[in-house]
């Protein structure tokens, strides 16, 4: 089957994008599994392994650049699709079931063991709460949303989008202004400078934040019920781009055709940004750059903001080029990714504590965490979620077991 979206039906492009959305969640598990090995001073994770790895520092930096922007762009794309399939109230009910309910029910279930692991880690000289974890019980609006913050922000973006769309439909009854927006948006995407133009809002936000360094990327609102400006700008822009892309799906062909130049440029920008980051500067013996802190921050922002969008476009282009068409493996992993991401934190954290003091190379310990955690979580998905009401809540449908003529079992 041809990989080209120019000849492929829209459904094949959707297979690629659905796999990319699931891949962004699975990369989050890899990211968090590597966090304890990042050679950073001062410590920013609840425990720092005795064998840090510069390579794993680069891995976390790279994933962090594009993962959530890619996820929110996909979320906006599929949100508009769902809205037009289900209608306004059907969309609201579906989002409350698949996003709101897992957030409300899932938070106490995963936060409790996470807190216990942090307490356990505090018994080690290189572990314990970081400054952002010490305020307990929280005083509102401070609240430890942890890795589930993305569900909270998604709910906010759904509300904002529905209100904005309602206002636009009311004020633009003839559709004239929407047609103008579509033409302008198509012009931006067709331009080779599209990543630079889309990077302007978040780049300005980085420059205006005196505390920003590129290691943190877009500030995530994981410790507050008030979403910060950077998250609104960075992830809100991505969500809006996804929504507008769904209005003109053929624009995806451009992103697919440009996957290679986007990928090469993303690699260069990420590597240069990494060299400028505090991660590499904190390594003993690393050369000090002849820049003031303010100059370094400005240069970092100028490089990092475009890196976000170029790498996001590269990820989309790669998925369209190589993952179009139905794959039962990717379909399964895409279905499983939501559950895996919801439950992974306490499991990964516990493994990090168990391995943190062992005299093994950091890469070996990281591999053990991934190889132990992911198969165990996939087994929990298959036996406890996929064919149950939990799977229906998370994925909008319950997978069905089908008995094959040979006596085997297939899933749908």
């Amino acid at each position: 089957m041809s990989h080209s979206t120019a000849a492929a039906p829209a459904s094949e492009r959707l297979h690629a994008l659905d796999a990319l959305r699931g891949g962004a969640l699975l990369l989050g598990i890899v990211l968090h599994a590597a966090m304890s090995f990042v050679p950073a001073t001062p410590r920013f994770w609840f425990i720092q392994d005795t064998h840090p790895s510069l390579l794993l520092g680069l891995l976390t930096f790279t994933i962090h650049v594009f993962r959530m922007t890619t996820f929110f762009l996909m979320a906006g794309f599929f949100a508009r699709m769902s809205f037009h399939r289900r209608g306004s109230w059907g969309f609201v009910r579906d989002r409350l079931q698949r996003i709101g309910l897992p957030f409300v029910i899932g938070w106490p279930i995963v936060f409790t063991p996470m807190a216990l692991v942090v307490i356990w880690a505090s018994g080690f000289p290189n572990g314990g709460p970081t400054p952002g974890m010490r305020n307990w019980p929280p005083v509102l609006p401070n609240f430890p949303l942890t890795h589930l913050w993305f569900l909270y922000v998604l709910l906010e973006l759904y509300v904002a989008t529905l209100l904005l769309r309602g206002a636009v439909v009311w004020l633009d009854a003839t559709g004239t202004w929407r047609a103008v927006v579509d033409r302008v948006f198509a012009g931006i995407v067709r331009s080779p400078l599209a990543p630079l133009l889309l990077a302007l809002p978040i780049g300005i936000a980085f420059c205006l934040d005196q505390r920003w360094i590129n290691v943190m990327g877009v500030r995530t609102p994981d410790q507050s019920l008030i979403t910060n400006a950077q998250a609104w700008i960075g992830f809100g822009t991505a969500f809006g781009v996804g929504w507008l892309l769904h209005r003109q799906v053929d624009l995806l062909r451009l992103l697919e055709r440009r996957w290679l130049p986007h990928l090469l440029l993303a690699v260069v920008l990420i590597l240069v940004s990494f060299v400028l980051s505090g991660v590499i500067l904190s390594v003993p013996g690393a050369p000090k750059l002849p820049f003031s802190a303010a100059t370094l921050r400005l240069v970092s922002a100028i490089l990092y903001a475009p890196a976000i969008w170029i790498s996001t476009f590269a990820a989309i282009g790669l998925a369209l080029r190589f993952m179009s068409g139905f794959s039962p493996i990717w379909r399964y992993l895409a279905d499983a990714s939501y559950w895996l991401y919801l439950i992974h934190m306490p499991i990964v954290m516990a493994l990090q504590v168990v391995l943190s003091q062992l005299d093994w190379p950091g890469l070996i310990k990281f591999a053990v965490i991934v190889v132990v955690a992911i198969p165990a979580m996939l087994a929990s998905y298959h036996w406890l979620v996929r064919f149950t009401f939990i799977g229906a809540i998370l994925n909008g449908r319950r997978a069905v077991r089908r008995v094959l003529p040979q006596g085997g079992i297939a899933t749908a």
Side-chain angles (χ1 to χ4, degrees):
M1 183 179 291
S2 171
H3 290 298
S4 172
T5 56
S11 61
E12 292 194 3
R13 292 198 289 270
L14 299 184
H15 290 314
L17 299 182
D18 199 40
L20 179 60
R21 178 175 56 177
L25 291 175
L26 294 176
L27 277 178
I29 300 174
V30 175
L31 170 75
H32 293 141
M35 294 286 253
S36 62
F37 302 97
V38 175
T41 304
R43 175 174 60 86
F44 68 95
W45 195 237
F46 80 100
I47 194 164
Q48 190 163 42
D49 198 272
T50 55
H51 289 69
S53 166
L54 190 59
L55 186 60
L56 291 177
L58 176 58
L59 176 66
T60 63
F61 188 90
T62 302
I63 294 174
H64 196 51
V65 170
F66 71 92
R67 184 179 73 90
M68 291 313 299
T69 299
T70 301
F71 174 83
F72 277 101
L73 191 151
M74 292 296 97
F77 185 94
F78 286 108
R80 186 177 185 274
M81 178 190 299
S82 178
F83 178 85
H84 284 278
R85 281 181 178 175
R86 303 173 185 274
S88 300
W89 291 112
F91 176 78
V92 170
R93 285 194 298 270
D94 179 70
R95 298 297 97 175
L96 288 176
Q97 171 189 309
R98 297 177 62 185
I99 305 297
L101 195 59
F103 174 66
V104 173
I105 295 178
W107 183 86
I109 294 175
V110 297
F111 179 78
T112 301
M114 286 173 64
L116 293 175
V117 173
V118 172
I119 294 171
W120 176 24
S122 64
F124 299 100
N126 52 338
T130 58
M133 300 178 179
R134 297 184 190 280
N135 298 324
W136 187 262
V139 178
L140 295 178
N142 296 328
F143 192 83
L145 293 172
T146 67
H147 66 298
L148 301 187
W149 65 265
F150 80 104
L151 298 177
Y152 185 80
V153 173
L154 273 178
L155 293 172
E156 290 184 313
L157 288 172
Y158 293 144
V159 171
T161 302
L162 290 177
L163 291 175
L164 179 60
R165 185 188 182 278
V168 168
V169 170
W170 179 57
L171 295 171
D172 183 33
T174 62
T176 303
W177 286 105
R178 275 168 281 179
V180 171
V181 169
D182 285 341
R183 285 197 296 271
V184 172
F185 179 73
I188 291 174
V189 175
R190 290 191 178 103
S191 168
L193 299 178
L196 299 179
L197 296 173
L198 293 173
L200 281 175
I202 192 61
I204 293 171
F206 290 157
C207 291
L208 294 177
D209 183 355
Q210 298 298 318
R211 297 176 299 161
W212 182 83
I213 55 173
N214 63 10
V215 174
M216 70 176 62
V218 181
R219 287 186 182 275
T220 55
D222 55 323
Q223 296 292 329
S224 176
L225 296 177
I226 297 179
T227 301
N228 61 73
Q230 277 186 30
W232 271 109
I233 293 168
F235 303 135
T237 299
F239 188 92
V241 168
W243 185 279
L244 293 174
L245 265 177
H246 187 261
R247 288 177 60 88
Q248 303 178 78
V249 178
D250 284 348
L251 292 174
L252 292 172
R253 297 173 182 176
L254 293 170
L255 300 183
E256 183 200 2
R257 286 201 295 267
R258 296 172 182 168
W259 73 268
L260 184 56
H262 282 154
L263 178 62
L264 295 175
L265 189 52
V267 169
V268 171
L269 285 174
I270 289 172
L271 287 175
V272 173
S273 295
F274 182 67
V275 170
L276 292 175
S277 73
V279 173
I280 188 68
L281 293 177
S282 68
V283 176
K288 299 298 181 182
L289 297 177
F291 302 132
S292 68
T295 302
L296 182 60
R297 187 171 59 81
L298 179 62
V299 173
S300 295
I302 292 172
L303 293 174
Y304 193 93
I308 291 174
W309 279 98
I310 292 170
S311 55
T312 294
F313 279 3
I316 295 171
L318 280 166
L320 293 169
R321 177 65 180 84
F322 297 105
M323 300 172 71
S324 289
F326 177 77
S327 163
I329 294 176
W330 272 112
R331 174 71 265 169
Y332 187 93
L333 290 175
D335 287 346
S337 63
Y338 190 13
W339 168 257
L340 264 61
Y341 192 76
L342 291 178
I343 68 167
H344 82 279
M345 268 297 220
I347 298 168
V348 166
M349 289 168 64
L351 289 170
Q352 287 173 329
V353 175
V354 168
L355 297 174
S356 64
Q357 310 302 310
L358 296 181
D359 190 20
W360 298 355
L363 286 171
I364 298 296
K365 290 196 269 190
F366 166 74
V368 169
I369 293 171
V370 172
V371 169
V372 171
I374 291 183
M377 293 188 295
L378 277 172
S380 75
Y381 168 74
H382 191 82
W383 297 110
L384 302 177
V385 175
R386 185 166 178 81
F387 307 108
T388 70
F389 73 96
I390 303 174
I393 290 173
L394 296 181
N395 296 325
R397 60 183 173 79
R398 182 183 305 188
V400 179
R401 287 188 176 94
R402 290 185 292 110
V403 179
L404 300 176
Q406 297 83 359
I409 294 178
T411 62

